[in-house]
């Protein structure tokens, strides 16, 4: 007897051997058959989906769950365009905090909305003895007040209180870490948002990192979330490369650096597992710290690498030698050069054709870099919604010629490069359907078309969030398509993305999300 039979629906399976079905049977969390194989079988529950469209659950291959959940409950200055309005929000948060000398966190900071950065002196006027930490929406910078600057080394670089990249990490290190309970609750809030948008599996992009880590025992927070019923979807944890340390392993192992006990990609189970090793090579386009090969338009700099190129390369190579899948953050084309050079050296030293290394973001990729991605078998994990929401700005700061190279689609596919969809939530909107719409239209919120030649088909965009996402996370045996034997993770939609006008894809209703054949209880 089936546990569940879903019927009267248009199942878009993403399986070329059986692309469409009308009935789907579930037994013990797995798909056991389609159509005639299950239609006549008894089932404990029969669900009439009333003609809805059903896809494999969306896979978001690059998210920040703890950050997302924390941001949801942090005072925010998002949407403010006047300095005085921003300072009023900050002061209100300070007054509500009470305890003199305590840290006060503020979210939603983006200097582009204000026309310039906030300054420490401005924050001092409303800090009332507190330590202020205003996080940039990119995650690659912050503004702090003088009370924080006074605790930092005098030679630490900053711009009137704005700290970028490593300098931001130094400020973060001054604060007490969040407790595992706080983080577990934040993770739970974020997963509810993911489920509402049809996401059934995701990859957390960098626990424990200097930039984005929240606790030295952050992995335990995810375990706690699972134990407390706060992890209703599948999560793969990328470990930040700055957690590696030198080990005295046997020389035959060829492992110069590792986590304690040799933990690496693949540890865990179908609900919570360890994925790739996250390596940061540059910053972000929003903060103007993504490393480009020539300066930003209108600026006298080309961003920055996170460290000396040789140090970054050695980290990538050591991670490869230790058996990790690598997820290399590289937004600018100069950073991509560093990543590709290091990955090539790593594969030359110890060939691992099945490693499935990834470049996270791949935000600005030159034409000459595309064949190198393909030759190395590196996946491009992109965030289409960056251009949907920030495309006008990104096009302006890269210039007319380079704008066509931003967050590519067609060029990756034409070169045989695996194109993987993701959100980087909470940096921007996490909706896979809105991202699919952009991948097809290449149209920003203002209606500007950015890199029109990079547009792909609806089917290809859906694959980026299902089949390709599963491949990038080594989940293809269980997820990514509605194929008998795989997990019954699926999303029920109010319309078929292939049959509506592309401009309507992002507005399609997510009717229900199933994990292991069950719709998690509403929270």
């Amino acid at each position: 007897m089936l546990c569940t039979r879903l019927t009267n629906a248009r199942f878009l399976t993403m399986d070329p051997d059986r692309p469409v079905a009308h009935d789907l049977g579930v037994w013990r969390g797995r798909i056991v058959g389609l159509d005639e194989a299950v239609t006549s079988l008894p089932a404990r529950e029969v669900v009439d989906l009333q003609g809805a469209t059903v896809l494999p659950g969306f896979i978001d291959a690059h998210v920040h769950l703890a950050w997302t959940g924390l941001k949801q409950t942090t005072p925010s200055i998002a949407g403010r365009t006047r300095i005085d309005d921003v300072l009023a929000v900050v002061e209100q948060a300070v007054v509500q905090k009470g305890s003199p000398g305590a840290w006060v966190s503020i979210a939603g900071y983006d200097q582009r909305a204000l026309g310039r950065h906030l300054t420490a002196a401005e924050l001092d006027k409303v800090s009332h003895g507190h330590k202020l930490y205003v996080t940039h929406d990119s995650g690659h910078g912050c503004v702090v007040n003088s009370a924080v600057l006074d605790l930092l080394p005098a030679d630490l670089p900053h711009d009137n209180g704005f700290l970028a990249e490593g300098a931001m990490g130094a400020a973060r290190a001054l604060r007490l870490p969040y407790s595992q309970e706080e983080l577990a609750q934040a993770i739970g809030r974020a997963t509810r948002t993911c489920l509402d948008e049809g996401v059934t599996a995701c990859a957390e992009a960098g626990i424990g990192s200097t930039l984005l880590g929240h606790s030295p025992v952050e992995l335990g927070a995810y375990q706690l979330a699972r134990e407390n019923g706060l992890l209703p979807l599948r999560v793969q944890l990328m470990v930040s490369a700055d957690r590696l340390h030198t080990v005295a392993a046997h020389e035959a192992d060829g492992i110069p650096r590792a986590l304690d006990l040799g933990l690496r990609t693949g540890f865990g189970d179908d609900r919570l597992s360890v994925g790739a090793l996250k390596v940061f090579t540059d910053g972000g386009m929003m903060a103007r710290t993504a490393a480009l090969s020539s300066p930003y338009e209108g600026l006298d700099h080309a961003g920055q690498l996170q460290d000396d190129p040789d140090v970054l390369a050695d980290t990538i190579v050591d991670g490869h030698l230790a058996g990790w899948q690598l997820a290399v953050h590289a937004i600018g084309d100069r950073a991509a050069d560093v990543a590709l050079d290091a990955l090539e050296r790593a594969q030359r030293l110890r060939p691992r054709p099945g490693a499935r290394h990834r470049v996270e973001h791949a935000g600005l990729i030159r034409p000459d870099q595309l064949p190198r991605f393909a030759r190395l078998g590196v996946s491009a994990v992109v965030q289409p919604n960056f251009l949907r929401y920030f495309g006008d700005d990104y096009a302006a700061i890269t210039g007319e010629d380079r704008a066509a190279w931003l967050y590519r689609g067609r060029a990756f596919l034409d070169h045989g490069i695996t194109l993987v969809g993701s959100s980087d939530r909470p940096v921007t909107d996490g909706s896979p359907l809105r991202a699919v719409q952009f991948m097809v239209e290449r149209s920003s919120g203002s209606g500007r078309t950015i890199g029109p030649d990079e547009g792909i088909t609806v089917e290809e965009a859906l694959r980026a969030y299902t089949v390709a996402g599963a491949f990038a996370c080594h989940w293809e045996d269980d997820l990514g398509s509605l194929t008998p034997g795989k997990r019954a993770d699926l999303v029920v939609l109010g319309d078929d993305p292939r049959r509506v006008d592309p401009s309507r894809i992002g507005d399609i209703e997510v009717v229900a999300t199933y994990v292991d054949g069950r719709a998690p209880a509403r929270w």
Side-chain angles (χ1 to χ4, degrees), residues 116-139:
R116 65 171 177 83
H117 278 298
L118 289 171
T119 67
E122 288 168 333
L123 292 177
D124 289 344
K125 296 175 183 177
V126 295
S127 60
H128 302 296
H130 291 72
K131 303 177 188 73
L132 297 182
Y133 188 97
V134 182
T135 305
H136 195 276
D137 267 346
S138 68

Side-chain angles (χ1 to χ4, degrees), residues 58-68 138-140 194 199 201-207 209 212 222 234-238 276-280 282-283 326-331 358-362 379-386 407 420-432 464-465 468-470 472-473 475:
F58 295 127
I59 297 171
D60 191 335
H62 184 119
V63 302
H64 301 280
L65 293 176
W67 180 16
T68 297
S138 68
H140 288 271
C194 290
V199 175
C202 60
E204 166 67 50
I207 60 169
S209 73
L212 300 174
Y222 284 84
R234 306 183 199 284
V235 177
Q236 189 179 85
L237 303 172
M238 299 185 204
L277 184 73
K278 176 75 175 293
V279 183
F280 287 93
D282 69 344
L326 294 166
V328 185
H329 168 115
I331 293 182
R358 312 157 36 147
V359 168
E360 308 299 300
H361 307 296
S379 298
V381 183
V382 300
Q383 297 77 40
N385 276 335
F386 277 16
Y407 293 90
V420 184
S422 69
S423 69
D424 202 17
R425 72 171 79 226
V427 177
T428 191
D429 187 340
S431 165
Y465 275 90
C473 296
W475 278 333

Side-chain angles (χ1 to χ4, degrees), residues 9-43:
R10 182 185 299 114
F11 291 92
L12 307 182
T13 67
M14 307 308 292
D15 182 346
D17 292 335
R18 181 117 184 214
V20 180
H22 302 286
D23 280 29
L24 181 146
V26 179
W27 186 69
R28 293 189 176 180
R30 291 189 180 269
I31 300 167
V32 294
L34 302 167
D35 291 348
E36 66 279 356
V38 297
T39 300
S40 60
L41 295 179

